[in-house]
Structure formats: C-alpha cells, structure tokens
Amino acid sequence: MKIFKKVALVAVSFVIASLYGFNSKEENSTNSLTNISIKETKVAYFASGCFWCVEGIYESIEGVEDVVSGYAGGYTKNPTYESVGTGSTGHAETIAVYYNPKRVSFQTLVDVFFGSHNPTTKNGQYPDYGSQYRSIAFYNTLLEKQIIENTIKKLNKEVYHGKIVTEVKKIERFYPAEEYHQNYERLHPENPYVQKISIPRINRFKHKFPELLKKEEK
C-alpha cells in the first residue's frame, strides 16, 4: 500500500492525457501510480476470503508493485464493509494486484491464487463464511479468461477431482475498501485475527512458493 498512499502532483497535460485512455488504479485515485511506469503495469483481481490475508500474500511476490483491498463482483454501487458483510450487495472481498508483467506473469498470479486458498469451499474460507468470502478469479481479457479456465481444468483433473467452485468473472468495477483496511495485516500485527489466521496463511504461502518472494520477504 506504500504506492497507493502517495499523493502526487500531476501536470495538467497528464490529466488531459489520462482522460483518453490511461488506466487508473481505480476511479477515485487516478494519479496514485505516478511512481510506476503505467505502460509496464497491469492489474489483476482476485477474491479468496479475507482481503487482509490475500493482500499480504500478493504484496510479498516479486514483480508486484502494489495491492489494494476492495470489493468487486457485486451489483450495488459504492459498497461499504458493513453492507458487503451482510451478503446483500453481491460483492466479494477482492484485491487488486498491480504488477509488472516483465517480472511476474498473470499465470503465476493465478497459480498463487489457487495455491493459497481452498477453491473447493463454497462461500468462504475458514474461519470466514458468506458470499462476501467466496472464491472468484476475475479477468480483463479473453486471454486471461483462458488462462484461468485452463488452470481450473488442470487442477480439477490432477488435484481437486472436479470440485473447484471458483467463479470466473469479467471485472466490471472495483471499489477500494475503506482506508483502515489497507495494509491491515502489516499495520496491526497485534490483532488476534491477524496473529491466528492471516499470518499463518501468509506463512503457508511463503513456504509453498519461496521462489516467488521478494528478497526482503525471504
């Protein structure tokens, strides 16, 4: 979340250019990626349980520039943590992963997604249950959709015996979560949930994918 929290002074010419096709991190923070080359940065979206945990997992990956916790996959506008938690908005807790495709591929991000949660659990990841915690792999392009579907097909055949319940959905809109949710695991190591659930889950990922970690995370 270091990049997301920076506020940059942007020239008028950049603002004008952004209106004609620059992809922003989300609609309300167009300039938050000033220190990242926009041409080299892509965004992937995943939902696999509590976003405190998932954010920490993806932030530790080499080639990932930033991760933002938020909400996606639903049908109501401007969801909040409280409204999403009721299960009535259709949204799932989702993370937006800003990554450099020259350093980490979308396929790798998908492999991390399936390798860091249980994709056979419908509407939840222990100890969190409800539609807001369901498993969703979002895609921006048909190629990304094909990568996700091919991965599911392979895992269903070799590992999960056809039991994967992960949704494959085109990303329509991503709403960043409230500021206090951003980088929560790192900022609140004393929180009982973080200690008992988030950190163990992140450590299991690190043990499983040591070759993907940033140097400071090893």
Side-chain angles (χ1 to χ4, degrees), residues 51 158 197-198:
F51 47 26
E158 299 177 359
I197 304 299
S198 299

Side-chain angles (χ1 to χ4, degrees), residues 29-94:
S29 60
T30 304
N31 305 320
S32 60
L33 290 177
T34 303
N35 292 332
I36 302 177
S37 172
I38 293 178
K39 291 183 179 180
E40 294 182 354
T41 302
K42 291 188 176 182
V43 193
Y45 302 88
F46 301 102
S48 59
C50 174
F51 47 26
W52 295 350
C53 306
V54 189
E55 179 183 334
I57 288 171
Y58 278 93
E59 282 188 332
S60 67
I61 299 174
E62 182 66 35
V64 171
E65 305 287 358
D66 198 9
V67 183
V68 178
S69 290
Y71 315 109
Y75 39 79
T76 63
K77 294 182 179 180
N78 303 315
T80 64
Y81 183 68
E82 288 73 20
S83 64
V84 170
T86 67
S88 63
T89 71
H91 292 90
E93 291 193 6
T94 302

Side-chain angles (χ1 to χ4, degrees), residues 92-206:
E93 291 193 6
T94 302
I95 49 107
V97 182
Y98 293 82
Y99 69 101
N100 186 334
K102 293 182 179 180
R103 298 170 62 196
V104 62
S105 67
F106 182 76
Q107 177 68 70
T108 295
L109 299 180
V110 170
D111 290 340
V112 168
F113 169 74
F114 284 106
S116 60
H117 81 296
N118 183 353
T120 70
T121 303
K122 186 176 179 60
N123 289 338
Q125 293 294 306
Y126 175 84
D128 304 303
Y129 296 98
S131 61
Q132 68 271 30
Y133 298 113
R134 69 192 188 276
S135 175
I136 311 176
F138 294 94
Y139 63 89
N140 289 287
T141 67
L142 291 179
L143 176 59
E144 290 180 353
K145 180 182 180 183
Q146 184 178 38
I147 290 172
I148 295 168
E149 291 178 338
N150 287 344
T151 302
I152 290 176
K153 183 178 180 180
K154 183 174 185 293
L155 289 174
N156 263 333
K157 181 178 180 181
E158 299 177 359
V159 181
Y160 294 111
H161 309 293
K163 296 181 180 179
I164 290 178
V165 296
T166 298
E167 296 178 25
V168 181
K169 301 184 68 171
K170 182 174 178 58
I171 187 69
E172 298 293 343
R173 186 167 182 178
F174 175 79
Y175 294 90
E178 296 81 353
E179 180 62 23
Y180 71 89
H181 285 298
Q182 308 302 336
N183 206 18
Y184 194 92
E185 176 267 333
R186 187 168 297 179
L187 293 176
H188 301 280
E190 78 291 344
N191 182 285
Y193 181 95
V194 169
Q195 292 179 352
K196 295 179 181 180
I197 304 299
S198 299
I199 292 176
R201 180 176 173 183
I202 293 170
N203 287 339
R204 287 195 296 271
F205 155 74
K206 291 181 177 181

